Amino acid sequence: MAPFIKKDKLQIIAFQTYGTNKHLYARGRALEDEEIDLSEKGFLSLLWNTYKRFETDEIRNTPLTIALPDKRVIGGRTDNEGYYLIDETSENLRHLANVEGWLSYRISYSDTALKREILHQNQFPGEVLIPSKNADFGVISDIDDTILHTGVVSSLKWRVILNTVFRNAIHRKPLEGAADFYHLLHQGKSGKKANPIFYVSHSPWNLYRYLELFLRTNNFPKGPIILRRMSSFSYRKSKSLKPQKQKEIVNILETYPNLRFILIGDSGERDADIYIDIAQSYPNRIAAIYLQSVPDRKRMMRVSELFEKYRGTPTLVVQKNEEAIAHARQNGFIH
């Protein structure tokens, strides 16, 4: 007789996403629960948690159900990697959101024949941001080396690996003054706005809860977190194709055609190229570009040269966030 192997309980991780009054856009992933404790310390515990984050057991091709607060029910299905993307036209969604624009929903497994124990009585929380019509602008920000020290310019990316694998999210430190700057942008010139903040990164979705905990622990404004699939890292990309991060930013701009945006990134990789390309493609839609400086002379010289040639949008290479705050105040973005 084969030995009995207890299977992990099932869960659904709903990613914070964004939508409009007439458009529900929900993303997430159905997985076995690996019981990852993001607060654990110690070399072996952190290494084991990292392994579990990337060695996922997804629930493929299974139906899901979203329940909205007004009893509306919307169906969806996971793909062969366990991800779900529910992209539905709907009506009057804004009145279901709170004062900050967050619409809460519950998502569950639809298949009652699943012979597996499911966490939380098959009810998992999710949220969609529907920005206020009164928002002055939106903010789209990178994460790595923009608000979180990661070391993307280090040799062979060894600091990225070291920081992600061997440091838990609670003890990671943000760039000094970054959270204050983002709150000022969120509040706008009047100090009473709820300008939406979007966090877009090249990091994989496997790090979603890690990054969400980092943002919450360090008091950054709540906002959709948009990452990418692990499988996309192995794709051979044509030089003519736009980076995934750029596609995600363009999707946000297309979703809110009447809203201007501030773009924030770092000088280490391709943010300068991506942001300038977007600003040129969407005239008058980009209010400002801020790039955090990095400790790499050649990269900084390259970014300075790019900004010298580009004059279409207010730009600033940021040494300290006090400089960005002063620039944003001078341009009328914050109080």
Side-chain angles (χ1 to χ4, degrees):
M1 178 182 296
F4 173 76
I5 299 176
K6 185 179 179 180
K7 294 184 176 181
D8 292 329
K9 297 177 182 178
L10 304 187
Q11 64 175 332
I12 301 173
I13 300 174
F15 308 141
Q16 289 171 343
T17 54
Y18 58 91
T20 69
N21 188 46
K22 296 183 178 181
H23 183 190
L24 181 74
Y25 186 74
R27 282 168 108 165
R29 200 176 189 192
L31 300 165
E32 291 185 3
D33 178 35
E34 302 292 347
E35 298 182 339
I36 297 173
D37 183 354
L38 292 170
S39 65
E40 278 191 334
K41 303 177 183 179
F43 175 85
L44 292 178
S45 294
L46 291 168
L47 187 62
W48 181 240
N49 279 343
T50 300
Y51 169 77
K52 289 191 289 186
R53 274 200 294 268
F54 288 90
E55 199 288 310
T56 55
D57 294 308
E58 54 273 0
I59 313 305
R60 302 179 178 91
N61 305 309
T62 191
L64 304 173
T65 301
I66 279 183
L68 299 180
D70 62 357
K71 310 303 181 184
R72 271 182 275 180
V73 175
I74 299 172
R77 176 177 288 273
T78 63
D79 61 18
N80 60 5
E81 293 183 74
Y83 291 99
Y84 69 85
L85 173 57
I86 297 173
D87 190 352
E88 290 283 336
T89 299
S90 194
E91 294 291 336
N92 299 320
L93 294 172
R94 183 172 280 113
H95 82 279
L96 301 176
N98 64 18
V99 293
E100 286 284 312
W102 288 99
L103 185 162
S104 298
Y105 66 85
R106 310 293 293 186
I107 188 164
S108 58
Y109 288 97
S110 308
D111 187 0
T112 57
L114 280 173
K115 296 181 179 179
R116 298 283 295 277
E117 189 174 356
I118 302 175
L119 285 169
H120 310 307
Q121 291 76 51
N122 196 21
Q123 292 287 322
F124 301 89
E127 291 181 299
V128 176
L129 177 65
I130 301 177
S132 167
K133 292 184 291 186
N134 297 320
D136 290 330
F137 53 81
V139 177
I140 301 174
S141 173
D142 184 32
I143 296 176
D144 299 333
D145 280 332
T146 301
I147 58 178
L148 170 64
H149 288 290
T150 53
V152 294
V153 298
S154 64
S155 177
L156 300 179
K157 309 296 188 213
W158 67 268
R159 282 186 181 168
V160 177
I161 298 168
L162 181 67
N163 285 326
T164 304
V165 174
F166 300 120
R167 299 182 66 188
N168 65 34
I170 293 174
H171 293 93
R172 299 289 295 276
K173 298 298 182 183
L175 271 68
E176 185 176 355
D180 293 337
F181 180 39
Y182 283 48
H183 274 288
L184 288 169
L185 291 172
H186 178 59
Q187 295 161 1
K189 188 174 182 178
S190 69
K192 299 178 181 179
K193 295 289 184 176
N195 295 324
I197 312 284
F198 302 83
Y199 301 97
V200 182
S201 172
H202 281 306
S203 295
W205 284 111
N206 306 64
L207 294 178
Y208 174 82
R209 290 196 293 181
Y210 183 96
L211 295 173
E212 180 189 32
L213 178 59
F214 166 81
L215 292 170
R216 187 170 66 249
T217 300
N218 290 285
N219 195 34
F220 280 87
K222 185 176 173 182
I225 302 171
I226 304 156
L227 308 177
R228 62 171 173 161
R229 298 187 183 212
M230 277 294 297
S231 57
S232 69
F233 285 78
S234 61
Y235 294 161
R236 287 182 174 270
K237 291 184 172 63
S238 167
K239 290 184 179 180
S240 64
L241 295 178
K242 301 295 185 183
Q244 180 63 29
K245 181 163 86 173
Q246 185 165 350
K247 293 177 182 178
E248 296 288 0
I249 294 173
V250 166
N251 191 55
I252 295 171
L253 267 66
E254 295 283 355
T255 301
Y256 308 109
N258 298 318
L259 198 60
R260 294 201 306 158
F261 283 88
I262 293 172
L263 305 181
I264 308 178
D266 68 87
S267 304
E269 301 228 308
R270 296 189 60 189
D271 286 352
D273 305 83
I274 290 172
Y275 291 177
I276 289 173
D277 190 17
I278 289 172
Q280 291 174 332
S281 300
Y282 290 84
N284 304 316
R285 293 291 309 282
I286 306 304
I289 297 173
Y290 295 104
L291 291 185
Q292 291 284 349
S293 64
V294 295
D296 187 297
R297 182 171 171 273
K298 287 184 178 180
R299 292 174 192 258
M300 293 305 301
M301 287 180 61
R302 177 180 175 275
V303 168
S304 296
E305 289 173 0
L306 282 173
F307 277 1
E308 284 175 7
K309 295 175 183 177
Y310 175 68
R311 299 291 182 181
T313 299
T315 60
L316 181 68
V317 175
V318 181
Q319 302 291 333
K320 295 183 178 181
N321 275 297
E322 288 87 347
E323 299 170 352
I325 290 171
H327 183 276
R329 188 168 285 131
Q330 181 181 353
N331 282 272
F333 303 140
I334 62 177
H335 62 87

